[in-house]
Amino acid sequence: MGSSCVNLSRDLAAPRRRASPSPAAITGEAWSHCRRRRRGGAPMAACRAASRTGTWVVYQVAHGRLPCRCTARVPGPVRHRHRHLLITPTASGSGSSLGARTSSSPVELASWQKILRTNPDVGKIYVLIKAKDAEAALQRLQTEGGQHRHCPPSWPMRSLNGVDIIVNSAANTTFDERYDVAMDINTVGPFRIMSFAHRFRRLKLFLQVSTAYVNGQRQGVVLEKPFRLGDTIGKESGSSDSSDQHKNAVLDIEAEIKLAFDSRRHSDDSASFSQEMKDLGLERAKLHGWQDTYVFTKAMGEMVINSMRGEIPVVTIRPSVIESTWRDPFQGWMEGNRMMDPVVLYYGKGQLSGFLADPDGVLDVVPADMVVNATLASMAKHGRPAAAGSGGGMHVYHVASSTVNPLVFGDLSRFLFQHFTRSPYSDAAGQPIAVPPMRLFDTMEQFASYVEADTLLRTARAGAASAGERLSQRFQELCAKSIEQTIHLGSIYQPYTFYTGRFDNGNTEGLIAEMSAEEKAAFHFDVRSIDWTDYITNVHIPGLRKHVMKGRGVTASASATASLPSSAAVLAGATTTA
């Protein structure tokens, strides 16, 4: 990794427009030749690059007009006729602080679908997929690509010179990930991709999918502005409660990379060392004014891109908490549990009746299809260098709701109660599960007391219904583990459930204003139009139960082992923002 630090220092000092770094800049390893394969009689090819953590494979998933029955032609500038795109999806295996994620995000999947559905005459779409090997990469592409994908032969790396737009959405979204792992994907990853971007002669736009929460612990209205190299939230705030250490901390990205990877060199791969690396990431993030490792390393990735871009126009899309689709391709669609969903599901099952959140606070939520539409609209505007006003430089778009249409936690808790009262889960006997109004706790002390009392109460009930001292001992162990994990998860979520920043979306609204009526209808992303009562109760939760649960867990288990570790087991599958 030492070489990456050297390259980073060099490239940040002298960004270039059309340099030609080796393709190895993507992975730190040499690219192999393209290998042709056959699947079902159709030729397949993949440009591969091996790395210590897996293989990157480039697949061409679209070329020319696609025979898609759901095609809808869209007039006006939100078209990508004959444009060639290179997309870097979320790395396989990334996830939230609460569990592993093994698939692309809903935004990535919906983006492919939307482009192919509304722009059938798009040029080529190349997808850079990370997996353990080429076989796994192909399987992931076929699994996640949808029925309307086909994979004609890929092209040698030199053929990618025709790429017009690069979309980098690769990320590790674990809140408290190991510092070295998050750094490698979220900070060094953008460096590698931007280094790679400089070799494309036709490149018109580099689009980075980030998160609105890169704004760290900023308070009040947070503007859509790019990061400069070395920016720190701690210095910006200058609040009286900030320590001198935070105010005087200097963010040196190269030094942070060195710290993360030098620590890894001395690892023994033990659980204790892994925890030390997680603690290191949180410590460095909080030192500079960010709430966790995920958003800190994503912010540094933005800084690297801005410093390296040279003359390459860059758009950064910063969505807030991405949840199920509002209407496209249909209402309530999503892949995997998102940030708030495990709490929603287990509240409905009667296994979690309270959480740590400010009742008057705001959960900034945006449907996945609105993020997709905003992304495509920004690509259309800034991917045309001759277009008036498109210009170069850095452009930031918050796709967020907190300033113009806030969803308050107190209202959200009432929506959940209304939905599950009207459409309850059933227990093992087929009886509806009655849920109490959700409780929201202002402090960690209150929440911790609730978790302990609630878990002990359910443990006692389960123990009374069972027999045998051995089973009782197991209850006690599960109880202690559940309490510990749930309180930890509450502490990880606390910076978000008590977040006081509100994301300005003036640039995003300006983008909407430039669109025609036809484009606004086909690429709708005006968050003002969302009725939260209808979206939560009639769209999101039904979609969650249908598309994520797929009928599993509709009947709550009456067994003690299934119901005991509610919070810990429940929250274990959540994924976060971009």
Side-chain angles (χ1 to χ4, degrees), residues 493-524:
Y493 268 20
Q494 188 174 19
Y496 298 92
T497 56
F498 289 84
Y499 191 74
T500 59
R502 301 292 179 263
F503 303 120
D504 172 65
N505 67 340
N507 292 346
T508 303
E509 293 206 314
L511 190 61
I512 295 173
E514 296 180 24
M515 297 168 65
S516 67
E518 293 84 359
E519 290 167 344
K520 290 177 183 177
F523 297 87
H524 184 85

Side-chain angles (χ1 to χ4, degrees), residues 375-441:
T375 300
L376 296 180
S378 69
M379 288 166 56
K381 175 179 179 179
H382 299 287
R384 296 177 295 122
S390 62
M394 288 283 294
H395 306 272
V396 177
Y397 294 95
H398 285 162
V399 188
S401 59
S402 55
T403 57
V404 297
N405 190 9
L407 173 61
V408 178
F409 277 107
D411 293 337
L412 175 61
S413 67
R414 286 191 290 273
F415 299 157
L416 300 184
F417 177 68
Q418 291 169 5
H419 174 87
F420 288 109
T421 299
R422 185 184 67 209
S423 304
Y425 276 110
S426 299
D427 62 19
Q431 297 301 310
I433 298 174
V435 296
M438 174 170 274
R439 300 177 61 187
L440 300 178
F441 298 93

